[in-house]
Amino acid sequence: MSNTIGNNLLHQSLLSSNVLEQHQCRINSSTYIGGNTFFHPQANSLIHKSPISTEFRGNRLTMQKNRLHMGKHHSVSKSPQAVLAANTSSMMTEKFKMYGNLELQVDVGPSTSSSSLVVNFTVTNGRESLLLHWGAIKSRKEKWILPHCRPVGTMVYKNKALRSPFVRSGSNAVLKLEIDDPAIQALEFLIFDEAQNKWYKYNGGNFYVKLPTRESKSANVSVPEDLVQVQAYLRWERKGKQVYTPEQEKEEYEGARMELLEEIARGTSIQDLRTKITSKNKVNESKEQLVSETKSNIPDDLVQIQAFIRWEKAGKPKYSPEQQLKEFEEARKELQVELEKGSSLDEIRKKISKGDIQTNVSKQEVAKKSNFSTERIQRKKRDVMSLLSKVASVSIEEKISSEPQVLSAIQQFARAKEDNVDGPILNKKIYKLGDKELLVLVTKPSGKTKVDLATDLPEPVVLHWGLSKRLGEWAAPPSTMLPPDSVSLDKAAETRFTTISFDNQPYKVLSLEISVEDDNFVGMPFVLLSRGNWVKNGRADFYVEFNSGSKEVQKKDAGDGRGTSKPLLDKIAELESEAQKSFMHRFNIAADLMEQATNAGELGLAAILVWMRFMATRQLIWNKNYNVKPREISKAQDRLTDLLQNVYRNCPQYREFLRMIMSTVGRGGEGDVGQRIRDEILVIQRNNECKGAMMEEWHQKLHNNTSPDDVVICQALIDYIKSDFDISVYWKTLNDNGITKERLLSYDRAIHSEPNFRRDQKDGLLRDLGNYLRTLKAVHSGADLESAITNCMGYRAEGQGFMVGVQINPVSGLPSGFPELLQFVLGHIEDKNVEALLEGLVEAREELRPLLSQPNDRLKDLLFLDIALDSAVRTAVERGYEELSNASPEKIMYFISLVVENVALSVNDNEDLIYCLKGWNSALSMLNNRDDNWALFAKAVLDRTRLALTSKAESYHQLLQPSAEYLGARLGVDQWAVNIFTEEIIRAGSAASLSSLLNRLDPILRKTANLGSWQVISPVESVGYVVVVDELLSVQNKSYSKPTILVAKCVKGEEEIPDGAVAVLTPDMPDVLSHVSVRARNSKVCFATCFDSNILTDIQSKEGKLLRLKPTSADVVYSEVKEDELASSSNSNEFSSSSSLTLVKKQFAGKYAISSEEFTSEMVGAKSRNIANLKGKVPSWVNIPTSVALPFGVFETVLSDNLNQVVAKKLQVLKRKLDEGNISALGEIRNMVLELSAPPVLVKELKEKMQSSGMPWPGDEGVQRWEQAWTAIKKVWASKWNERAYFSTRKVKLDHDYLCMAVLVQEIINADYAFVIHTTNPSSGDSSEIYAEVVKGLGETLVGAYPGRALSFICKKNYLNSPQVLGYPSKPIGLFIRRSIIFRSDSNGEDLEGYAGAGLYDSVPMDEEEKVVVDYSSDPLIVDGNFRSSILTSIARAGNAIEELYGSAQDIEGVVKDGKIYVVQTRPQM
C-alpha cells in the first residue's frame, strides 16, 4: 500500500469528535508486512492513555543514524537535587563538582530567535566521549518524556532516555539543548563517559534542573480541539508521516496547539483559522463522513486482524488510501455479520485465529496480483561517455627479502616437530601471549592423537587441562593418559612443562607432550599457570580440536609470496588464531590492518579481500569458545566499514576492490541494530509460545555469537513453515546455502534439533520471522537489497514491534524521484519477466553513481545500496533465462546492453566496456534500421565484450590468486577452495551473467550472418593425435614424437607452431594474417578457430585419440580413424622429417649506412630490396616511404670495435652457455647487446645518409634523441636471440651463427589505419580475389599478439570497386605514435623459400607507441558506408597493382593517412 490504514484512522481521529471518544481506550498497535500495513494487537507496551488520541501511524520510522556506541547502563536512584533559582528575568547559572578537575556548569536563558529556552552545558576539561543521558519532566510524578527537539547526534536509549554527545570546545566539552515545549518543568540527567564506561551522578542520583516558568499562550485563549487535531495531522504530513511513540504524539499534539495559538496571537480569528486549515485538507472531510457512518460494537483490534486477513487473501495488493479505508470497513461488516448471528466477541476472536470468518475478497484483485505488470520506468537519456572511469589501480610490488626469515624459538621447535611427524597434522596454532608465544600442534602418528605444547613463558609453567567428548566440555582425563608427575583434579588435570635447550642457542623452550588414545575425545580445553598467574586465550579458555572430523592441516609450502603483500599476509596469518574467537575480533583486527593495507596499494587490499572472502566462504573458523554480544559484532563491523568508506572516498583507484571487500563484510550498524538480534528472538519465542527445542538452541547460538549463517537459518524456517511444515524444505534451504547438519552441530552453542511447530503458530511465526529476517540482513548482508534500501531511505514502513527503536534517517541529497524508483524496484523484484526490473535496477545505479564520488557522511550506506542493486541485476538475469529461451535477437541484445552498463558501473577502468556498450547500442540501431550487416557487426561487438570480460578475469587472477595461494597455505585452507578462488570471485559478479547472455546470442548471430561454427585460417587436411593445452605459447618449443592435433585454449598470434603439430584448433581469434597464421599456412599445418563450444568440447573429449580433419573454407569435418590409416595420411611424410635449409653468411661491405639506391642482396634482405623496387613503378597515388639501411655485417663490425671489447668477450661466454643448452642465456645475450657503444663513424655515415635522403636526423633534437635511436637499432640486432626466432631456426636446422641482420630505417607515418593484404585469398586459395585486414592505428596490433579481430574484407580482382566486408573489428586497442623513425629487422633468413622467417624478429620504433582504447561507434570506417567503400577499394587496388608488378601473389603491409595509401613493405605471399 502507498499508505497504511493506520494513516486513515489517524485522519478519522483528527476530524471526528465521535471517533475521538471511541479511541480513548483503544490499544494502539500495528503489524507491518512488506509495504502494506494493517493493525494487529501486539505491541502492548505502546498503550496510550492520553485523554486525546493522536495516533500517528505512517511509513517506516525515520530517525537519525546513531553515531555513538552504547555503554552499559546502570540503574540510578533519585536523591537530593541541585535546583537552579527560578528567576525568569535574568540568565541563570549553576555549577556542580563532578570528579577530580571536572566541573559542570549549566546556563539557562531565552532563545534569541523563538520563544524556546536554551540550556547550555559545559564540562571543564571534559572528554569528547561524554554523553548527556537525559529526559524532560512535566510533572515530578511522571516518567521522563523525550522532547522532539534534540541536538544533532542524539540517540534514543531503549525508548526511555535520550543520549546527546558533547562536542569539544578548547579544553572543555559543551552541549546545547533547546526546549520549545512550555509544559516542560525541568530536565533530569546523568553524564556518561563512553570511553571509560563511567557514570557521573549528583550525590548518587540524577542531576535535576528546574526550568523557569513560562506563560502559556493558551491561558486566556482556547483553540477548538478539532482544529488542533487537523493541525497535528498537517504537521505529521509535513514531517514525512513518521511513526511516533506515544510521548512524541503528545509533543506533536501540543506543538500543533502552540502553532495555532501563535496564529491567534497575530490576530487571526478562530473562523479564519478553521477556513485556512480545512482548505488544506479537503480529502479528510469525505473520510470523516465515511468513518462516522460505520460505528459498531466490534473492537478495532479484531477489525484490524480481519482487514489484514482480507489483504493477505487478496494477494497483498497495493491499495490507495481510499481503498485501505474501504477494506477496513468491509472487514468490520464481516465481523458485524458474525455478531448479528449471535457469536460473542470471544468466539469471533477464536474464529479469526482459525480463519473461519467468511471473507469475500474480489477474485479480480487476486488476478491482478498474479499477472505480470507491464509498468515500466522511463529511463533518462544520458551520454554513455558520462560513465567513463579511467582511474587505473596501481599495484605496489612489495620487495621480498632474500634474507632467510629469523625464526623464534617456538617457531624453530614447531618446524623441528613437523619435520619428524609420521602422520597427518590435524591442527596447528601459535598463540601470541604478549611478547611470548604458545604452540599447540596436534598430530596423529600410528593412529593415536598426540598433542605437543611449547611456550617461552617464564618458568614454572603448569598446564591446567581437560578433555571433551563434545565441543566446549571440561572433563577429567583418564589416569592412563596423564603424563608423568601429573596431578588429577575433579574435572581437570595439571601437568608441569619441562625445559628444552637448543644447540648453540640461548633459547629455552618449555614443552609438554600428551597422548590421547581414545578417539571419542574431540578436543582439549586448557589454561596455563605461569609464576602464579593464569594465562588464558583473551577472556576465554584455550581449546584445541583433534577429533577425526577435523580438517587436516596440509604441510604445504606457502612459497615466497611474490606478487603479494607478503608482510601483511604474514601479519594476518599470525593474528588468525585471535581472529577465530569471534566476528568482533576478526573485524577489529581487519580495521587495525586497514592503514597498512591501504599503504600497500592494490596488493594490500587484495590481502584483506582474500582473508575476508575465506571467512565469508566458511574456510575460516567464525567463533571459537568466545561469547560476544551481537551489538559488539555490529559495532566492529561498523568500525571496519567506516574505514573502508574513508579509503573509498580518498583513494578512487581502489574503489573496485573496496566494493568487493564491503560485500563480504556486511553492513554492521549502530549498537541498537546489532542488539536487536539478541532481543527479538526472545520476542518471537514469547509471542509464538516456542521457547524450547530448536528455537531455544538457536536462541542460545544467537546470544553467544550471531553470524551470517543466521540469515540462512531464518530463511530456512520461513520456507519450512510456508511449505506446510515440510522438514525436507528446511534442510534444502540450509544445504543449498552451505549449512549442513555437521555445521549446525559445530557451533559453540550447537543446534541439535529440527524445528517442530504447531499449525496455529503459522501466521504469527511467518510474520515475526519475516521481520526478524530483515533485522538479521540489516547487520549481516552487505548485498541484501531490502535492508540496503531501508538503510538509505530510513525506517519508514516498519511499524511497531521490530526495529521500532532504531533510529536511521534517510540519506540526504538523494536525487528527485529516487525513492519512487527504489519502490518500483522492490515492487518488481520477484517478477518472472525481468526486463522492466533490469531497467529499474540499472537506472537506480545510474542515479546513485554521482553520489558515490561526492562527500557524504552516509557514503557507506549508499555503497551498500549500490552493491545490493548490482547483486540484484545478476539474480534477475539468472531468473530471466527462461524469458530469453525463445526471445528475439533484439531482446537478447537489449538485455546484454543493460548488463554491460551494469558491469561498467562496477569497475574502475571501464573505457573498453563503455565502447562495448556503445557498440551494442549501434548494433540495436542497425537491426531496427534493417541494416543487412547488423548481425556481422553485433558478432564483432560480442567478441570484443568477451575479450573485455577475459581481460578483467585475467587481471583479477593476476592480482588475487597469488595472495589466495600464499594465505591459503599459511592458514591451511582447503586446496580446492584456493584453486578456484578467483574463479568464484568472478562467478559471484554480474560479469558471469553477462558471459552467459553472450553465449546465448553467439549462435544466433553466427547463423544470421552465415558465419558457421568455424573460421578456417589454414585449410590443410590432417591426421593426428589430439592433445589439449591451455596456451600454444607454453608448447611452442616442444617437439612431438607423433603427429599431433593441438587444441589450444589461448593463441595470441605471435607463437611458433611446435614440431610434430599437424593442426592447431582454438576458440581464440587470431587474425588470419597474424604471424602464427602465416607460419601455419607456410608449414602446411591446419589452423582454425572454432566458435561453437559444444564442438570444441567434443574434440577435447577425444584427447589421446587419432582424428582426421577435413577443412573447407568455412568448416572443419572431423572423424576418428584407425592407427593403420595414419601411414597413408596426406601429412604423414611431411611430419617425419623437416627439410634442412642453408644460410649464406653475409660479410661487411665497408659501409655503415646505405641509401635505397644501394640496396642489393649482398647488403640487405628482401624486405629492404622489395620496398626500394616499388619506387617509381607503382601508381602515383600509392606512396612509398623513404628508406635507408644499416647493411649486413654492421652489427659484427660494431661488436669487434675496440669500444666494445668487454661486451664481445662476455657475449662469447654467453654463446657457449647457449650452445650447451642453457636457454636462459638468450635473455642475457639480448641484454648484453644493449651494452654496445656506437662507433663515431657509424653515427657520421648514418646521419649523412638520412639527411641526404630527406629524412630527419634524430640527433638534431638533442643527444637524448640519438640515444633513443641507437637503443632501437640495438634492440633490432638483439632480437636475433629472441626465443621464438631461436627455436624456429633450430627447428629447420638453420645455422644460427650464419643469420645476419640488416636494419631498414624508415620514417613512421602516424597512421589512421594500417592494413595487410594477401593478393590470393589465404583461406580458400582463390587467386581471383584479394583478402585484406585493417586496424586502427599502427599495424603491430594486426601482426602482433594483440587480442581481437581486425576488419576483414575480400575483393574480386575484376571488380575492385565492390569490396565485401567479412567481419567487423573487435580489437580493443589501437597503437598511435608521434612523428618518429622506425628501425625494421631485415635478416637473410627472411629470403629463404619454404621458411616463414618474416615476423620472427623485431621492428622497433624510436618512440614508444601509445595504446588507445578504440571507439568504433564514431569511426567513419565503420559508420560511414561511402568512406569505408572508398578506403577498402583503394587498399584492394594498391594490392592488385603490386601483384601485377611482381607477377606473383604478394604479402603487403601499409597504412592509410588522411585517405592516402602508403605501402611500407611487400614480400612474396607464403
Side-chain angles (χ1 to χ4, degrees), residues 460-526:
V461 177
V462 175
L463 179 74
H464 183 90
W465 61 288
L467 292 172
S468 54
K469 292 186 177 180
R470 66 175 187 269
L471 292 177
E473 177 189 46
W474 270 87
S479 58
T480 56
M481 295 185 189
L482 296 178
D485 300 324
S486 296
V487 177
S488 184
L489 305 175
D490 180 22
K491 291 186 177 181
E494 288 189 345
T495 307
R496 187 165 179 165
F497 282 75
T498 58
T499 304
I500 294 178
S501 297
F502 285 82
D503 293 339
N504 303 319
Q505 295 291 341
Y507 302 127
K508 285 186 177 181
V509 168
L510 303 177
S511 72
L512 181 59
E513 182 179 302
I514 297 172
S515 293
V516 181
E517 298 178 1
D518 187 345
D519 284 343
N520 290 319
F521 291 111
V522 299
M524 185 179 89
F526 67 92

Side-chain angles (χ1 to χ4, degrees), residues 227 268-278:
L227 291 187
T268 306
S269 67
I270 296 292
Q271 186 58 41
D272 291 343
L273 201 57
R274 182 180 299 279
T275 302
K276 181 179 179 181
I277 294 175
T278 55

Side-chain angles (χ1 to χ4, degrees), residues 698 709-719 769 772-773 776:
W698 188 30
D709 278 5
D710 295 314
V711 177
V712 181
I713 293 170
C714 189
Q715 185 64 60
L717 288 172
I718 292 171
D719 293 346
L769 287 170
Y772 193 46
L773 184 62
L776 291 167

